[in-house]
Structures are given as structure tokens and as C-alpha cells.
Amino acid sequence: MKRRRPLIVGNWKMNGLVETAIELAETVCRGLSERERRSGLPPCDVVVAPPFTAIHAINQHHGCALMKLCGQDMSANPPGPYTGEISGIMLRNVGCRYVILGHSERRERHHEDNALVGQKCKAAFRDGLLPIVCVGENLTHREQGQTLSVVAAQVDAVLDVVNGEDGGKLLPKLDQWVVAYEPIWAIGTGHNASTEQIQEVHGFMRERLAHRLDAATADKIRLLYGGSVKPANAREILALEDVDGALVGGASLNAQEFLAILDALPGEA
Ligand code: PGA
């Protein structure tokens, strides 16, 4: 049994039209219901992040209480003249409970920096969403021994913005914050980080959170690992002490693989 309730998130990225997305969501939901009938409620929170265009349809269609919906990004701004952007309130309106922020594909290709990710995280808390903030080093950082300092700066930037908000009004919400450690060199490459590398960074993040916040809050924040998680490596990754779940890209596009990752949680058959 894990200390914190595990969380498994499927990040579908820019894949799927409405019909195929509904089908995938339905297959995952059916698998969850079967598991519920067999052995009770899944011992984790299950979340999927479809492309924006399919979220509403899935929400209308699936009616599956066992699976929550998630946005893949959101604007830091309130509704207004921001062409092409999606606000947190809009995500809530179509049934999302979570939102992924600062994914490396957005940091690298859309030039999102730590300060912007912090602003987005603050906006998500304000809009009643649970932010899943991605952090992680690239290969050069790792080779130059900068992994921990890069991750620290990414975590600190969010804490600085959230802390600075109206005399710490949002601080109590940090209990529900989720951080996903995703080494960039492991995303979509088929090469996951080793269990030693993962536990080192997760342990470091937990200590950093305790130092910046307090031990009780740090103990509640869920830390996910992401980067080529698949059924074959999920069991050893999910068993690590400070790993509270996974952010799954490629393998989440196949319902059976995604469900097999849930089955790999400690305590599961
Ligand atoms: P991957 O993606 O599982 O395909 O490596 C993970 C992610 O980008 O969140």
C-alpha cells in the first residue's frame, strides 16, 4: 500500500478525433468497472487528458465516476482577449478536475518559462483545478550534473508565485498539488530513467517541499514519474517510496496498456 493515494494520468497529447477519443475513454472506463466488480474500487485516482476538442464529448458520453478528466494546458489569464487560449474555468465547465502544466513539450516548443508555469499553477488553483506541474532536466543538464538544480528552480518558481499570492491565501491548496518528474530525455524515447535516478529526484523534491513549506504538506503532495512508463517497467517504478503514480504518454493511447499500468500498483494482483 502506498502512503499517498496513487494517481495515474494518461496524457493523450495531440492524438485522437472525437470518435476515437470517446472509444478510448469508454474502453478505459469499462476496464475500470470490471476491476471494480472484481476487486472493489481501484486503489488510485485515474485521470485522462484528452485533446481539448474531445473533452466535452467524453464528459457527456462516458459518465464514468472512476475516471477524471484533465486539460493538457491552460492559460494563466482570466477570460478575455487571448486568441487561441483556454481558461481554467472553461476546463472546469467541460468536466475537468485536473490540468497538466509546464509539460516539457510546452516549455521547449512554446517557450514557457518557470515564471509562466507558476502563474498558470496559481490560476489553476484559483479556478478550482488540481494542477499537475511537470518538471525535469534535459540530457545536457543531466550530463553536466545540473539535474537537481534545474528541478529545484522549477519547483521553487511555482512555490514563489503561489506563496506570494494575497498573503499566502492559496497555500492551503498546496496539499493537493501534484508534481510530475519527467526527464526530457526519457519522454517518448522508450528509455525510462533508472529506479535510482527516479528515487533520487523524487526524494530530493520531497525534501525541498518540506524545506519550503512544511513536512506535513510535503508528505501529502503527490509526486509522479513520467517518461516511457509502460506495463513492463511500471511495477518497479511505482514501488519506489516517493513515487505516488505515473504520467503516461504513449502507453495511455492503448487502453489495455494503460490499464495494465494501474494493475502494476503495489498491492494489486
Ligand atoms: P511518454 O510521455 O510516456 O510517451 O514518454 C510522457 C509524457 O510526455 O507525459
Side-chain angles (χ1 to χ4, degrees):
M1 267 301 186
K2 301 291 284 185
R3 254 167 100 81
R4 291 155 284 270
R5 184 168 168 79
L7 170 62
I8 307 288
V9 184
N11 176 11
W12 296 358
K13 307 192 180 183
M14 198 173 75
N15 293 293
L17 303 179
V18 171
E19 297 74 15
T20 50
I22 288 177
E23 206 179 298
L24 179 54
E26 280 187 339
T27 316
V28 172
C29 283
R30 259 200 313 279
L32 294 175
S33 305
E34 276 163 29
R35 280 160 179 75
E36 186 187 20
R37 273 197 300 280
R38 238 182 13 232
S39 44
L41 285 176
C44 61
D45 292 332
V46 182
V47 172
V48 295
F52 290 131
T53 48
I55 296 176
H56 180 57
I58 292 174
N59 189 39
Q60 296 272 300
H61 219 84
H62 82 73
C64 169
L66 299 173
M67 186 184 87
K68 300 275 181 287
L69 291 169
C70 178
Q72 295 179 15
D73 180 38
M74 63 173 262
S75 171
N77 298 304
Y82 303 101
T83 302
E85 298 237 51
I86 303 276
S87 74
I89 293 168
M90 292 169 181
L91 289 178
R92 283 274 308 279
N93 185 235
V94 291
C96 289
R97 181 80 185 99
Y98 292 80
V99 62
I100 296 169
L101 299 174
H103 191 282
S104 62
E105 285 153 16
R106 295 212 60 85
R107 290 182 189 259
E108 291 204 319
R109 292 165 202 244
H110 300 269
H111 313 294
E112 295 196 5
D113 60 15
N114 286 344
L116 178 63
V117 176
Q119 292 297 335
K120 288 186 174 197
C121 191
K122 181 172 84 175
F125 276 132
R126 274 196 188 148
D127 291 340
L129 290 163
L130 301 180
I132 301 168
V133 172
C134 301
V135 300
E137 80 287 4
N138 63 28
L139 196 55
T140 313
H141 295 139
R142 176 151 289 270
E143 286 171 353
Q144 295 179 350
Q146 294 167 351
T147 299
L148 299 182
S149 59
V150 166
V151 168
Q154 291 169 329
V155 169
D156 283 357
V158 172
L159 293 175
D160 289 344
V161 175
V162 174
N163 257 327
E165 173 67 4
D166 295 347
K169 203 169 74 190
L170 291 174
L171 280 178
K173 297 198 180 225
L174 281 174
D175 277 5
Q176 305 203 59
W177 189 25
V178 181
V179 185
Y181 169 55
E182 298 205 304
I184 297 170
W185 47 271
I187 295 176
T189 57
H191 303 297
N192 59 288
S194 70
T195 48
E196 291 75 22
Q197 289 170 326
I198 298 171
Q199 178 53 37
E200 183 195 16
V201 176
H202 279 237
F204 170 78
M205 292 196 293
R206 186 88 59 205
E207 273 171 24
R208 186 104 193 154
L209 291 165
H211 170 72
R212 288 288 313 256
L213 299 163
D214 56 78
T217 308
D219 211 40
K220 288 188 187 135
I221 293 175
R222 290 184 289 184
L223 304 179
L224 313 184
Y225 170 75
S228 298
V229 176
K230 39 191 180 286
N233 59 24
R235 193 169 293 276
E236 59 172 13
I237 293 173
L238 293 171
L240 294 170
E241 186 184 342
D242 283 297
V243 173
D244 307 310
L247 178 52
V248 185
S252 71
L253 294 172
N254 177 309
Q256 298 319 323
E257 285 197 27
F258 186 59
L259 290 163
I261 290 170
L262 303 180
D263 293 339
L265 275 165
E268 286 300 280

